[in-house]
Amino acid sequence: MEIASYIVENNVTVRQAAKHFGVSKSTVHKDVTERLEELDSSLAEKVRKILDIHKDERHIKGGYSTRLKYEKLREQTKHNM
């Protein structure tokens, strides 16, 4: 429940929570999606909403990161010519 509370209070991703607590992403995901439901359904619902938002946003973040990567490569190519 500590991990779930951390996710809700800090609006972090599964990856960020896993890093903070020193456990795997799989463990965090299983804890907050399966085990938490049995312990505290209200907290589980809050976590689910946050995870759903992050899931909806990940394609935007991934696209942005890819764009930055290729812009950096273009700049390096220009400077090497």
Short mmCIF file of all heavy atoms in Angstrom, two decimals, residues 7-8 12 20 23-24 26 28-30 32 36 39-40 43 45 49 55-56 58-60 64-66 71 80-81:
data_model
loop_
_atom_site.label_atom_id
_atom_site.label_comp_id
_atom_site.label_asym_id
_atom_site.label_seq_id
_atom_site.Cartn_x
_atom_site.Cartn_y
_atom_site.Cartn_z
N ILE A 7 2.38 6.54 -5.50
CA ILE A 7 1.94 6.82 -6.87
C ILE A 7 0.86 7.89 -6.86
O ILE A 7 0.92 8.84 -7.65
CB ILE A 7 1.44 5.53 -7.56
CG1 ILE A 7 2.61 4.59 -7.84
CG2 ILE A 7 0.69 5.86 -8.86
CD1 ILE A 7 2.21 3.21 -8.35
N VAL A 8 -0.10 7.77 -5.97
CA VAL A 8 -1.21 8.73 -5.91
C VAL A 8 -0.71 10.11 -5.45
O VAL A 8 -1.04 11.13 -6.06
CB VAL A 8 -2.33 8.22 -4.98
CG1 VAL A 8 -3.37 9.30 -4.74
CG2 VAL A 8 -2.97 6.98 -5.57
N VAL A 12 3.27 9.57 -10.06
CA VAL A 12 4.41 9.00 -10.76
C VAL A 12 4.01 7.77 -11.56
O VAL A 12 2.94 7.19 -11.35
CB VAL A 12 5.54 8.62 -9.78
CG1 VAL A 12 6.10 9.86 -9.09
CG2 VAL A 12 5.09 7.59 -8.76
N HIS A 20 12.09 4.24 -7.22
CA HIS A 20 12.09 4.83 -5.88
C HIS A 20 12.15 3.77 -4.79
O HIS A 20 12.86 3.93 -3.80
CB HIS A 20 10.84 5.70 -5.71
CG HIS A 20 10.73 6.34 -4.36
ND1 HIS A 20 11.42 7.48 -4.05
CD2 HIS A 20 10.02 5.99 -3.26
CE1 HIS A 20 11.14 7.81 -2.79
NE2 HIS A 20 10.28 6.92 -2.30
N VAL A 23 12.44 -1.86 -6.54
CA VAL A 23 11.84 -3.13 -6.96
C VAL A 23 11.59 -3.09 -8.46
O VAL A 23 11.73 -2.05 -9.10
CB VAL A 23 10.52 -3.42 -6.20
CG1 VAL A 23 10.79 -3.60 -4.71
CG2 VAL A 23 9.50 -2.33 -6.42
N SER A 24 11.19 -4.22 -9.02
CA SER A 24 10.96 -4.27 -10.46
C SER A 24 9.63 -3.63 -10.84
O SER A 24 8.71 -3.53 -10.03
CB SER A 24 10.98 -5.72 -10.95
OG SER A 24 9.80 -6.38 -10.54
N SER A 26 7.52 -4.93 -12.80
CA SER A 26 6.52 -6.00 -12.76
C SER A 26 5.93 -6.15 -11.36
O SER A 26 4.71 -6.33 -11.21
CB SER A 26 7.15 -7.34 -13.17
OG SER A 26 7.62 -7.26 -14.49
N VAL A 28 5.75 -3.80 -8.99
CA VAL A 28 4.90 -2.64 -8.72
C VAL A 28 3.57 -2.79 -9.43
O VAL A 28 2.50 -2.61 -8.83
CB VAL A 28 5.59 -1.32 -9.14
CG1 VAL A 28 4.62 -0.15 -9.06
CG2 VAL A 28 6.81 -1.06 -8.28
N HIS A 29 3.62 -3.15 -10.70
CA HIS A 29 2.40 -3.25 -11.48
C HIS A 29 1.46 -4.30 -10.89
O HIS A 29 0.26 -4.08 -10.71
CB HIS A 29 2.72 -3.57 -12.94
CG HIS A 29 1.54 -3.41 -13.83
ND1 HIS A 29 0.71 -4.47 -14.13
CD2 HIS A 29 1.02 -2.33 -14.44
CE1 HIS A 29 -0.26 -4.04 -14.91
NE2 HIS A 29 -0.10 -2.75 -15.12
N LYS A 30 2.00 -5.46 -10.55
CA LYS A 30 1.18 -6.53 -9.98
C LYS A 30 0.62 -6.11 -8.62
O LYS A 30 -0.56 -6.35 -8.33
CB LYS A 30 1.98 -7.82 -9.85
CG LYS A 30 1.14 -8.99 -9.41
CD LYS A 30 1.89 -10.28 -9.60
CE LYS A 30 0.96 -11.43 -9.31
NZ LYS A 30 0.71 -12.27 -10.45
N VAL A 32 -0.05 -3.06 -7.48
CA VAL A 32 -1.06 -1.99 -7.52
C VAL A 32 -2.26 -2.32 -8.39
O VAL A 32 -3.28 -1.66 -8.29
CB VAL A 32 -0.45 -0.63 -7.93
CG1 VAL A 32 0.61 -0.19 -6.93
CG2 VAL A 32 0.07 -0.63 -9.33
N LEU A 36 -3.58 -4.95 -4.61
CA LEU A 36 -4.17 -3.79 -3.93
C LEU A 36 -5.69 -3.83 -3.96
O LEU A 36 -6.35 -3.43 -3.00
CB LEU A 36 -3.66 -2.49 -4.56
CG LEU A 36 -4.14 -1.20 -3.93
CD1 LEU A 36 -3.67 -1.12 -2.47
CD2 LEU A 36 -3.61 0.00 -4.70
N LEU A 39 -7.01 -5.44 -0.99
CA LEU A 39 -6.74 -4.78 0.29
C LEU A 39 -7.48 -3.45 0.46
O LEU A 39 -7.97 -3.15 1.53
CB LEU A 39 -5.22 -4.54 0.43
CG LEU A 39 -4.33 -5.76 0.37
CD1 LEU A 39 -2.87 -5.36 0.33
CD2 LEU A 39 -4.61 -6.65 1.58
N ASP A 40 -7.51 -2.66 -0.61
CA ASP A 40 -8.11 -1.32 -0.53
C ASP A 40 -8.61 -0.92 -1.91
O ASP A 40 -7.88 -0.34 -2.71
CB ASP A 40 -7.07 -0.33 -0.01
CG ASP A 40 -7.64 1.05 0.25
OD1 ASP A 40 -8.71 1.38 -0.28
OD2 ASP A 40 -6.98 1.81 0.98
N LEU A 43 -8.30 2.92 -2.91
CA LEU A 43 -6.95 3.32 -3.30
C LEU A 43 -6.59 2.71 -4.65
O LEU A 43 -5.98 3.36 -5.50
CB LEU A 43 -5.94 2.89 -2.23
CG LEU A 43 -4.48 3.27 -2.48
CD1 LEU A 43 -4.31 4.79 -2.65
CD2 LEU A 43 -3.61 2.78 -1.30
N GLU A 45 -8.56 2.11 -7.08
CA GLU A 45 -9.24 2.89 -8.12
C GLU A 45 -8.48 4.18 -8.42
O GLU A 45 -8.33 4.57 -9.59
CB GLU A 45 -10.66 3.22 -7.68
CG GLU A 45 -11.49 3.89 -8.75
CD GLU A 45 -12.92 4.13 -8.31
OE1 GLU A 45 -13.43 3.35 -7.49
OE2 GLU A 45 -13.51 5.11 -8.79
N LYS A 49 -6.67 5.10 -12.11
CA LYS A 49 -6.90 6.32 -12.88
C LYS A 49 -5.57 6.97 -13.27
O LYS A 49 -5.41 7.41 -14.41
CB LYS A 49 -7.75 7.31 -12.08
CG LYS A 49 -9.20 6.90 -11.99
CD LYS A 49 -10.01 7.89 -11.20
CE LYS A 49 -11.46 7.44 -11.10
NZ LYS A 49 -12.28 8.36 -10.32
N LYS A 55 -0.76 5.83 -19.29
CA LYS A 55 -0.82 4.96 -20.46
C LYS A 55 -1.30 5.75 -21.68
O LYS A 55 -0.77 5.59 -22.78
CB LYS A 55 -1.76 3.78 -20.20
CG LYS A 55 -1.78 2.76 -21.31
CD LYS A 55 -2.66 1.59 -20.94
CE LYS A 55 -2.71 0.58 -22.06
NZ LYS A 55 -3.57 -0.55 -21.73
N ASP A 56 -2.30 6.61 -21.48
CA ASP A 56 -2.81 7.42 -22.59
C ASP A 56 -1.77 8.42 -23.09
O ASP A 56 -1.77 8.78 -24.27
CB ASP A 56 -4.06 8.20 -22.15
CG ASP A 56 -5.27 7.29 -21.96
OD1 ASP A 56 -5.25 6.15 -22.46
OD2 ASP A 56 -6.22 7.74 -21.30
N ARG A 58 1.64 8.01 -22.97
CA ARG A 58 2.95 7.47 -23.32
C ARG A 58 3.28 7.57 -24.80
O ARG A 58 4.45 7.74 -25.16
CB ARG A 58 3.12 6.05 -22.81
CG ARG A 58 2.38 5.00 -23.58
CD ARG A 58 2.66 3.63 -23.01
NE ARG A 58 1.74 2.69 -23.63
CZ ARG A 58 1.53 1.49 -23.17
NH1 ARG A 58 2.14 1.08 -22.09
NH2 ARG A 58 0.69 0.70 -23.78
N HIS A 59 2.30 7.50 -25.67
CA HIS A 59 2.60 7.62 -27.10
C HIS A 59 3.07 9.04 -27.42
O HIS A 59 3.90 9.23 -28.31
CB HIS A 59 1.40 7.23 -27.96
CG HIS A 59 0.30 8.23 -27.97
ND1 HIS A 59 -0.60 8.36 -26.93
CD2 HIS A 59 -0.03 9.19 -28.87
CE1 HIS A 59 -1.44 9.35 -27.21
NE2 HIS A 59 -1.11 9.86 -28.37
N ILE A 60 2.58 10.01 -26.69
CA ILE A 60 3.02 11.39 -26.90
C ILE A 60 4.46 11.55 -26.44
O ILE A 60 5.29 12.12 -27.15
CB ILE A 60 2.09 12.37 -26.14
CG1 ILE A 60 0.68 12.29 -26.71
CG2 ILE A 60 2.63 13.79 -26.19
CD1 ILE A 60 -0.37 12.97 -25.85
N TYR A 64 7.72 12.31 -28.79
CA TYR A 64 8.54 13.49 -28.51
C TYR A 64 10.00 13.09 -28.34
O TYR A 64 10.90 13.73 -28.87
CB TYR A 64 8.02 14.19 -27.25
CG TYR A 64 8.82 15.41 -26.87
CD1 TYR A 64 8.73 16.58 -27.64
CD2 TYR A 64 9.65 15.41 -25.77
CE1 TYR A 64 9.46 17.70 -27.30
CE2 TYR A 64 10.38 16.53 -25.42
CZ TYR A 64 10.28 17.68 -26.19
OH TYR A 64 11.02 18.78 -25.85
N SER A 65 10.24 12.00 -27.62
CA SER A 65 11.61 11.52 -27.41
C SER A 65 12.26 11.12 -28.72
O SER A 65 13.44 11.40 -28.96
CB SER A 65 11.63 10.33 -26.45
OG SER A 65 11.18 10.73 -25.18
N THR A 66 11.51 10.46 -29.58
CA THR A 66 12.03 10.05 -30.88
C THR A 66 12.38 11.28 -31.71
O THR A 66 13.43 11.33 -32.36
CB THR A 66 11.00 9.19 -31.63
OG1 THR A 66 10.71 8.03 -30.83
CG2 THR A 66 11.51 8.75 -32.98
N GLU A 71 16.49 14.90 -34.12
CA GLU A 71 16.96 16.28 -34.24
C GLU A 71 18.41 16.37 -33.80
O GLU A 71 19.23 17.05 -34.42
CB GLU A 71 16.09 17.22 -33.41
CG GLU A 71 14.75 17.52 -34.04
CD GLU A 71 13.86 18.38 -33.15
OE1 GLU A 71 14.27 18.72 -32.01
OE2 GLU A 71 12.75 18.70 -33.59
N ASN A 80 29.54 17.65 -38.30
CA ASN A 80 30.62 16.77 -38.77
C ASN A 80 30.95 16.99 -40.24
O ASN A 80 31.92 16.43 -40.73
CB ASN A 80 30.25 15.31 -38.52
CG ASN A 80 30.26 14.96 -37.05
OD1 ASN A 80 30.94 15.61 -36.25
ND2 ASN A 80 29.49 13.96 -36.67
N MET A 81 30.16 17.74 -40.93
CA MET A 81 30.41 17.95 -42.36
C MET A 81 31.40 19.03 -42.60
O MET A 81 31.76 19.89 -42.07
CB MET A 81 29.11 18.28 -43.09
CG MET A 81 28.18 17.12 -43.12
SD MET A 81 26.74 17.57 -44.10
CE MET A 81 26.20 15.97 -44.53
#
